[in-house]
Amino acid sequence: MENDIFDYAFEDLIPDEIGGKHFNLIRQIKPAIFEDFLLAKTARSSCLSCGSDKLFIPHTVVHPEDPDSEDYSENDEVIYVTPQYESSKHFRVYTTRYEICCMNCGFVFQYLAHPVVRWAMVNKGVTGELI
């Protein structure tokens, strides 16, 4: 499965206290953790529509410094699976989804974030408060 980089801005997301805690959990779900979750659940590794194995996980890369600066280091980047959520509501892990996209036909799989986060808290050391 491939990963691709998507810019994803949360300027419009002003979380309340619970939303902030949930967002901190979401930011810990790296593409490799999501892939491990899918393997543990024996999810399909090919497109449900066309059967292609060319899938990718949209993810966010946050650069704490300008990537063109001399002090820039990739080790400082924060990378996490890009969450899809309803921006008109408060951010909650229970109403957030993760996607996998087929590079061949464009079909999109959706997974609720809550089971992924709950599994990662037990199996991958993701820490935080799931209220």
Side-chain angles (χ1 to χ4, degrees):
M1 207 172 294
E2 283 186 41
N3 294 314
D4 203 358
I5 298 172
F6 281 79
D7 290 329
Y8 200 82
F10 283 96
E11 288 95 22
D12 63 331
L13 177 65
I14 303 171
D16 56 353
E17 184 179 344
I18 294 171
K21 289 178 180 183
H22 284 200
F23 186 64
N24 286 334
L25 285 166
I26 290 289
R27 284 177 56 113
Q28 294 179 64
I29 305 300
K30 313 293 182 211
I33 290 175
F34 187 38
E35 286 182 25
D36 288 347
F37 167 82
L38 295 169
L39 288 170
K41 300 299 179 180
T42 63
R44 271 195 149 175
S45 59
S46 61
C47 178
L48 294 170
S49 179
C50 72
S52 173
D53 63 352
K54 295 182 180 180
L55 306 175
F56 71 89
I57 298 170
H59 64 278
T60 301
V61 179
V62 178
H63 307 282
E65 294 182 26
D66 180 359
D68 294 329
S69 77
E70 292 178 17
D71 297 332
Y72 177 74
S73 169
E74 287 184 4
N75 295 332
D76 296 331
E77 293 177 339
V78 176
I79 301 171
Y80 56 94
V81 178
T82 304
Q84 302 298 320
Y85 69 98
E86 211 174 306
S87 62
S88 62
K89 297 183 179 182
H90 289 292
F91 186 87
R92 297 291 186 265
V93 73
Y94 305 107
T95 56
T96 301
R97 304 171 315 285
Y98 292 126
E99 295 180 345
I100 297 176
C101 307
C102 177
M103 294 173 58
N104 184 53
C105 74
F107 185 80
V108 178
F109 305 61
Q110 292 187 345
Y111 293 87
L112 291 175
H114 178 251
V116 177
V117 169
R118 197 175 62 232
W119 178 88
M121 290 175 80
V122 170
N123 297 289
K124 293 294 180 177
V126 167
T127 60
E129 198 172 347
L130 191 56
I131 300 170

